[in-house]
Amino acid sequence: MRTALPAGWEPDESRPATVPRDASTVALLRDTGHGTETYLLRRQPTMAFAAGMSVFPGGSLQAGDDEPIGWTGPSPDAWADRLRCTPEIARGLVVAAVRETFEESGILLAGPDEHSTATDLDGDEITQVRLDLDAARRSLADVLGEHGWVLRSDLLGAWAHWITPSFEPRRFDTRFFVAAVPEGQRVGSLPGEADRAAWLTPQAALDAAAASGGVAMMPPTIAVCRDLVGLRATDVVAASAERVIETIEPRLVRIDDAWFIENSVEDPA
């Protein structure tokens, strides 16, 4: 896929490429009477990265993501095979996926054991916990340990892998995951990074992104929404296991006097 950049735009080819930071993002889904919906947050216009864009909950790995943590479901070694990285990075990516989802939506993919998930997450105490996680005052391991919860990696499915293009000053090496909202949970208050949130069917999100003056979404979000059309939340983790995940790193190409951004796909190892 090739997208034209604004006329007269010129890249700064003298600036060395930034090393991308490992990051995780999660497409949350729920089944409703109106179809399957996914949760999108609109980032504040003052944000340094993706300002004003509608995105899935997510963010980069933090120092506390490598702390010992209660865990059930596929192991870091299994995730390393799936994500094509080291077990240490895979573990951090899964922890970050669960942490960022909790911080930004209030949905927690964890619970007392491998058969259940946390409930009663609407109180002021949990709201403060989310704020503390967001400010890196606490780690997810600390929070789960305090409540006797374990991270449930079986509730996540690996879906896509995108790397921010080299011409961007802020770059992320992002794994996209999918998850269904656990029974008995619902989204909470907005995080500070967002000014609006909405549940939309993937097709409605695509239609809004295509409309003039509509929802602004980056190519990876659009691509994931396109993939999710027609899938049910209850089936999405199982569907993820059948996917061949390609690493996509968009690149700049010049044709005549115009610049375009083109998705560049690496064959999976």
Side-chain angles (χ1 to χ4, degrees), residues 81-124:
D81 289 341
R82 183 69 175 125
L83 299 174
R84 307 198 311 276
C85 62
T86 66
E88 292 76 19
I89 291 176
R91 181 186 181 281
L93 289 166
V94 171
V95 172
V98 174
R99 175 182 53 75
E100 289 283 347
T101 300
F102 187 40
E103 287 177 18
E104 299 194 353
S105 72
I107 301 300
L108 182 59
L109 304 176
D113 53 47
E114 70 271 26
H115 303 298
S116 57
T117 51
T119 56
D120 300 324
L121 300 174
D122 300 327
D124 292 341

Side-chain angles (χ1 to χ4, degrees), residues 72-208:
T72 187
S75 68
D77 285 341
W79 279 105
D81 289 341
R82 183 69 175 125
L83 299 174
R84 307 198 311 276
C85 62
T86 66
E88 292 76 19
I89 291 176
R91 181 186 181 281
L93 289 166
V94 171
V95 172
V98 174
R99 175 182 53 75
E100 289 283 347
T101 300
F102 187 40
E103 287 177 18
E104 299 194 353
S105 72
I107 301 300
L108 182 59
L109 304 176
D113 53 47
E114 70 271 26
H115 303 298
S116 57
T117 51
T119 56
D120 300 324
L121 300 174
D122 300 327
D124 292 341
E125 176 193 354
I126 295 299
T127 298
Q128 184 60 52
V129 166
R130 291 174 57 204
L131 291 172
D132 289 342
L133 284 170
D134 185 51
R137 290 188 291 265
R138 299 185 68 180
S139 67
L140 183 66
D142 177 40
V143 171
L144 297 191
E146 178 182 310
H147 291 83
W149 295 330
V150 292
L151 180 152
R152 288 196 51 187
S153 76
D154 60 304
L155 298 181
L156 285 168
W159 197 262
H161 181 199
W162 286 71
I163 301 175
T164 310
S166 61
F167 64 85
E168 291 281 5
R170 292 176 179 267
R171 301 184 66 211
F172 298 91
D173 185 339
T174 306
R175 265 59 173 212
F176 284 73
F177 297 85
V178 292
V181 174
E183 186 176 353
Q185 292 190 23
R186 61 182 182 181
V187 297
S189 57
L190 283 175
E193 294 180 357
D195 64 2
R196 184 181 300 177
W199 284 101
L200 295 171
T201 67
Q203 187 59 58
L206 292 171
D207 293 343

Side-chain angles (χ1 to χ4, degrees), residues 246-259:
E246 300 169 322
T247 299
I248 302 175
E249 183 175 357
R251 61 189 179 93
L252 285 175
V253 294
R254 185 164 189 149
I255 301 175
D256 297 327
D257 293 326
W259 285 97

Side-chain angles (χ1 to χ4, degrees), residues 1 27 29 36 38 56 82 157-162 176-178 201-206 217-233 235-237 239-240 242-246 248 263 265:
M1 185 173 67
L29 293 108
T36 300
T38 191
F56 304 118
R82 183 69 175 125
W159 197 262
H161 181 199
W162 286 71
F176 284 73
F177 297 85
V178 292
T201 67
Q203 187 59 58
L206 292 171
M217 293 196 300
M218 292 183 292
T221 311
I222 292 172
V224 171
C225 283
R226 188 179 296 121
D227 290 342
L228 293 175
V229 171
L231 283 176
R232 290 178 54 81
D235 301 328
V236 73
V237 171
S240 73
E242 305 300 320
R243 288 179 63 82
V244 175
I245 297 177
E246 300 169 322
I248 302 175
N263 292 346
V265 178

